Amino acid sequence: MRYINYIFASLILFFVPIYGLLIAVGSAIILDTFTGIFKSIKLNGLSSIRSRKLSNVISKMALYEICIIFLFLIDKFVLNEFVKHAFGFDFMFTKICAILLIFVELVSIKENIEETFKIDVWNLLKKAFNRAKEVKSDINEITN
């Protein structure tokens, strides 16, 4: 039993460099799931939630996390020396994969919010940035 604990601890320590990426991707999946559940309840009622659809979250989480772990292994043992020499940082492909997976989830979250509240998120962001520019120019005029 002691050796199994050593092996398990060694595996955990081996994947420490990517635990932040794994948590970030997992958090994005969970947030997407919550917004999807909220959208489903808001548009179709509580009876629209099915355990079959929710079980897809488990497979998505496993697939995304395993993808990052295997890409980390490839990055660490095959690609890292070339990438570190050329670009100067570690595990570039693992980080790019995590960013792409998070981006996919963020697009899904945006779509869920837009369908639920019947709003356009990009127009709201544009208005907020334009308003911030106006406030900044007003502050600059007052201080000058």
Side-chain angles (χ1 to χ4, degrees):
M1 186 65 176
R2 186 175 60 190
Y3 295 113
I4 294 173
N5 289 339
Y6 290 149
I7 291 171
F8 187 66
S10 298
L11 283 175
I12 288 175
L13 289 175
F14 182 74
F15 292 111
V16 163
I18 60 166
Y19 80 94
L21 297 175
L22 295 172
I23 291 172
V25 170
S27 300
I29 293 170
I30 291 170
L31 188 60
D32 178 40
T33 302
F34 284 141
T35 57
I37 290 171
F38 182 74
K39 178 187 84 167
S40 181
I41 290 173
K42 181 117 170 128
L43 297 180
N44 302 325
L46 192 59
S47 63
S48 64
I49 297 175
R50 302 276 184 247
S51 63
R52 178 75 176 146
K53 290 180 183 178
L54 286 175
S55 68
N56 292 338
V57 174
I58 296 169
S59 60
K60 180 198 291 189
M61 180 82 76
L63 182 67
Y64 282 14
E65 301 292 338
I66 289 170
C67 174
I68 291 174
I69 288 171
F70 281 137
L71 196 55
F72 170 72
L73 292 172
I74 293 169
D75 237 358
K76 182 164 182 70
F77 293 115
V78 179
L79 301 172
N80 197 39
E81 292 301 319
F82 302 116
V83 171
K84 191 168 184 173
H85 181 70
F87 298 105
F89 59 92
D90 292 326
F91 315 122
M92 182 176 88
F93 294 106
T94 306
K95 292 174 183 176
I96 289 172
C97 177
I99 289 170
L100 289 174
L101 292 174
I102 291 171
F103 180 74
V104 167
E105 294 302 313
L106 288 176
V107 168
S108 177
I109 291 168
K110 179 188 101 42
E111 290 171 354
N112 288 336
I113 291 171
E114 287 179 346
E115 288 179 27
T116 302
F117 297 111
K118 307 289 190 252
I119 58 173
D120 188 10
V121 173
W122 294 123
N123 283 337
L124 290 175
L125 287 173
K126 286 179 189 177
K127 288 178 186 177
F129 285 130
N130 288 336
R131 181 68 184 134
K133 287 179 186 178
E134 291 174 9
V135 169
K136 182 181 176 187
S137 65
D138 291 344
I139 291 173
N140 288 337
E141 286 178 16
I142 291 172
T143 57
N144 290 333

